[in-house]
Amino acid sequence: MPFKNLQPRVAAILHNEEETVDNRLTQVCEVLQTTIGYYDWVGFYFANHEARTLHLKAFAGEPTEHTVIPFGKGICGQVAESNENFVVADVKAQNNYIACSMYVKAEIVIPLFKDGKNIGQIDIDSHIADPFSKEDEKFLEWVNEKVAEIL
Ligand code: SME
């Protein structure tokens, strides 16, 4: 697992105040997507709590048409309401799932908290079946904590 090696790279990207926050988030998506073989799509969605929608702010991988997702819809929308990690080993087994690509077999969504409030999430799609472990969850929770520090 390259997570230990990735942490300093992610921290350096996020601390680079010469770039906008949006650019830094895109660079984090890119480094995760290119370094971890089974991370085929990586994106950050952020919540509009008044409208109860999630909005795609940064991503790496194929463009998706699902740039706005209502709370409660799909894996992402469920995490907006549950405030809990959602690890999906097999997307075909999910009823409430929004398909972004026919190649996706698994997905992990980790909520992003700022001052205790669920303000968004990191979402990762994989073309490999059941690839995510507790190590992915812990690493992505750490990424989200670091992102929260610059928001
Ligand atoms: N599959 C997600 C939608 C977002 S795409 O993966 C980029 C879901 O079910 O919420």
Side-chain angles (χ1 to χ4, degrees):
M1 284 293 156
F3 294 138
K4 272 270 168 284
N5 301 337
L6 262 177
Q7 282 179 322
R9 289 177 69 188
V10 169
I13 290 168
L14 291 173
H15 288 140
N16 179 9
E17 291 179 4
E18 312 226 315
E19 294 284 359
T20 63
V21 168
D22 284 14
N23 283 348
R24 285 181 252 171
L25 292 178
T26 300
Q27 287 172 10
V28 169
C29 292
E30 286 168 352
V31 82
L32 298 190
Q33 195 250 354
T34 54
T35 310
I36 303 177
Y38 54 96
Y39 286 13
D40 290 289
W41 189 93
V42 180
F44 286 99
Y45 286 91
F46 285 91
N48 178 328
H49 287 100
E50 288 69 45
R52 293 181 53 78
T53 46
L54 291 163
H55 298 258
L56 185 63
K57 197 177 185 66
F59 73 96
E62 289 296 309
T64 174
E65 61 192 33
H66 301 291
T67 56
V68 181
I69 298 175
F71 282 20
K73 301 282 184 203
I75 309 303
C76 296
Q78 291 178 75
V79 169
E81 293 184 326
S82 72
N83 307 323
E84 286 178 3
N85 296 350
F86 200 157
V87 183
V88 180
D90 173 11
V91 295
K92 285 205 177 71
Q94 295 292 320
N95 296 324
N96 189 357
Y97 167 69
I98 302 166
C100 278
S101 145
M102 61 186 283
Y103 301 112
V104 175
K105 293 204 169 106
E107 178 161 4
I108 184 169
V109 179
I110 307 291
L112 194 159
F113 298 97
K114 175 84 181 170
D115 301 328
K117 190 174 180 185
N118 179 358
I119 61 162
Q121 52 194 237
I122 190 166
D123 174 20
I124 292 160
D125 288 339
S126 182
H127 298 175
I128 310 261
D130 196 10
F132 301 115
S133 69
K134 275 278 163 209
E135 294 306 306
D136 294 272
E137 285 188 68
K138 278 196 289 186
F139 171 64
L140 296 169
E141 286 170 3
W142 176 86
V143 170
N144 281 355
E145 282 167 25
K146 292 287 147 195
V147 169
E149 288 174 8
I150 65 160
L151 298 177

